[in-house]
Amino acid sequence: MAAYLCPPAVIHGRHTVKTSQIVAEVRDRHPHAAWAPRIDGIAASTGIEARGWMLPLETAVAPGEGSGLAAGVGAAREALARDGFAEPDVDRVIASLEAIPVPQTVQERTAPAWAAVRSYGEQAARGALQIAGLDPADVDCLITSNSTTPALPGLDVALADRLPLRQDVMLLPATQWACIAGTRSLALAADLVAADPDRVVLVVIAEALSTTYQPADDTLESLIVRLLFADTAVAAVVTGRPRPESVLRLDAAWHHTLPGTQDLHRLETRADGTHFVMDRRGPRAVQETVTAMWEWLRTRHRDDPGSWHPDVLLAHPGGTRVLEYMEQTMPDGWPSGLLDHSRDSYTSGNRGGAAVFDILRRAHDRGLEPGSRAVLYAAAPGLTATALEGEWL
């Protein structure tokens, strides 16, 4: 399967949103929520003090451009007049209704985020090509993923125009990969270069997860979503032959899907935009994929069970609870600290599909010895998981 990965480019959201800002906004909006007395403790438990968004917090919480007069001014005036209201009273009622703030529509919420996703994706793509010492004309295939701002044509076509790419480039958009985009895109890229070692694959993942920040929601799950997510664009080049810039050789991939779990985590599009819905059973289901991954690695290295272990584990299981489970269930004798880079990434937010590339970049920047064995893992709504094994170059 050997495929060679160059260091990724990582573009963080340029608007810093502090946890204290989110807490203040939510507390002011939902003072009587059941969880309101515990909000400070809930926020602290995430371990996230700030995260980067592509757009400022003010954009997410701003009211829509409409008003409380869903039926229109004319219809409202006629109805009030029929009910016997005098004209001055009608004017006062209409003015009051027009002053009522309404939520943003799907278009109002998504359009600016989609523009940001394209801009950030282009920055990441150009950065990855520069790191790899390549030009847009060298790209043979583009794999893209962005789950939170659906559009048609998608990010793949936008980048083909913006970079620009050759007209014969293969475009492979993967809009619904979500949190698994980092590992699964690399697995697909590895298959593509295995079929043609001279092929150059560019992977670009851009997620504006802040679009799931829904001010009107007052559930505990919605509070957690507000606190967790960050916006990031990442990109990397995968080749079938080693380059001077290559840092990781990918040797094997593993995929796993749990039946009957499609409703545990999901995106729902409603009148006011995209909502991320979480089920409390989700972490336990993700843990099942972790157990299955341990078995895959055990089987791969059954001839060397006593001494084989990864030197770094770049994991995005969706949250710190599952990271703790991974540490608790690692085979005996594995060294501690394998998940340090993953934990470090989480301190500034959950980056969804961009997370594994961000974690990999942190590992690269801190330095790994050539020959270090790496395992990359991610789980996503579905529930589905993909892992890769490779060696640092």
Side-chain angles (χ1 to χ4, degrees):
M1 178 190 177
Y4 299 88
L5 176 65
C6 294
V10 180
I11 311 296
H12 301 290
R14 66 182 181 89
H15 297 278
T16 299
V17 179
K18 297 180 179 179
T19 295
S20 59
Q21 294 175 275
I22 294 174
V23 168
E25 194 279 328
V26 175
R27 178 182 280 125
D28 182 63
R29 192 180 294 270
H30 301 291
H32 305 299
W35 39 259
R38 299 184 289 124
I39 188 170
D40 290 321
I42 294 170
S45 69
T46 67
I48 303 168
E49 294 186 359
R51 74 284 294 140
W53 283 3
M54 294 181 184
L55 300 170
L57 176 62
E58 291 75 17
T59 300
V61 302
E65 296 181 0
S67 72
L69 284 170
V73 174
R77 284 187 172 277
E78 291 178 8
L80 290 168
R82 284 197 304 269
D83 287 345
F85 283 82
E87 187 165 341
D89 295 328
V90 170
D91 291 339
R92 283 194 295 271
V93 172
I94 293 297
S96 297
L97 290 174
E98 288 182 325
I100 297 174
V102 296
Q104 297 178 45
T105 64
V106 174
Q107 182 177 7
E108 288 172 335
R109 190 65 190 275
T110 303
W114 172 230
V117 162
R118 285 176 289 175
S119 175
Y120 274 72
E122 179 184 356
Q123 293 178 57
R126 292 188 181 278
L129 290 171
Q130 183 178 19
I131 290 169
L134 296 170
D135 296 319
D138 297 315
V139 176
D140 300 301
C141 176
L142 172 66
I143 302 173
T144 60
S145 184
N146 65 294
S147 303
T148 47
T149 49
L152 184 65
L155 183 60
D156 58 326
V157 175
L159 293 178
D161 285 344
R162 285 168 175 249
L163 290 175
L165 302 179
R166 301 192 320 264
Q167 293 183 3
D168 64 344
V169 166
M170 182 192 305
L171 303 179
L172 293 175
T175 304
Q176 294 168 316
W177 271 348
C179 296
I180 210 170
T183 52
R184 191 153 292 176
S185 61
L186 292 179
L188 175 57
D191 286 341
L192 290 169
V193 298
D196 180 358
D198 293 322
R199 184 175 279 156
V200 173
V201 180
L202 174 63
V203 175
V204 182
I205 304 164
E207 291 289 16
L209 293 168
S210 59
T211 56
T212 63
Y213 191 110
Q214 295 297 342
D217 284 0
D218 63 355
T219 64
L220 176 61
E221 289 74 19
S222 177
L223 170 65
I224 295 171
V225 167
R226 287 171 166 93
L227 294 167
L228 289 184
F229 286 145
D231 296 347
T232 315
V234 297
V237 169
V238 179
T239 58
R241 305 187 193 280
R243 297 181 55 79
E245 301 84 3
S246 301
V247 294
L248 180 65
R249 188 189 69 237
L250 302 173
D251 296 324
W254 165 89
H255 306 283
H256 192 76
T257 300
L258 292 176
T261 57
Q262 60 181 320
D263 292 331
L264 294 185
H265 298 313
R266 61 192 185 277
L267 282 179
E268 292 183 354
T269 301
R270 304 175 189 169
D272 57 350
T274 302
H275 295 245
F276 187 76
V277 182
M278 297 192 303
D279 191 295
R280 296 181 184 182
R281 298 171 296 162
R284 178 63 62 182
V286 175
Q287 290 170 10
E288 292 187 37
T289 70
V290 173
T291 302
M293 180 186 65
W294 295 153
E295 179 60 22
W296 170 64
L297 290 171
R298 187 195 66 79
T299 301
R300 271 187 57 77
H301 298 282
R302 59 180 175 269
D303 295 333
D304 193 14
S307 60
W308 187 89
H309 61 77
D311 298 296
V312 64
L313 180 50
L314 313 175
H316 175 63
T320 54
R321 283 179 57 189
V322 184
L323 287 178
E324 292 170 359
Y325 175 81
M326 295 179 79
E327 289 178 329
Q328 294 164 3
T329 59
M330 284 180 188
D332 293 339
W334 282 22
S336 62
L338 294 181
L339 289 166
D340 286 353
H341 303 298
S342 301
R343 290 188 176 280
D344 183 47
S345 179
Y346 272 102
T347 62
S348 52
N350 181 327
R351 293 174 170 80
V356 165
F357 279 31
D358 176 67
I359 298 166
L360 190 149
R361 182 73 212 195
R362 291 168 189 264
H364 169 266
D365 289 347
R366 292 179 185 175
L368 286 175
E369 291 293 328
S372 296
R373 295 159 295 193
V375 171
L376 289 67
Y377 162 87
L383 279 162
T384 183
T386 291
L388 301 113
E389 186 188 332
E391 182 175 306
W392 218 259
L393 301 176

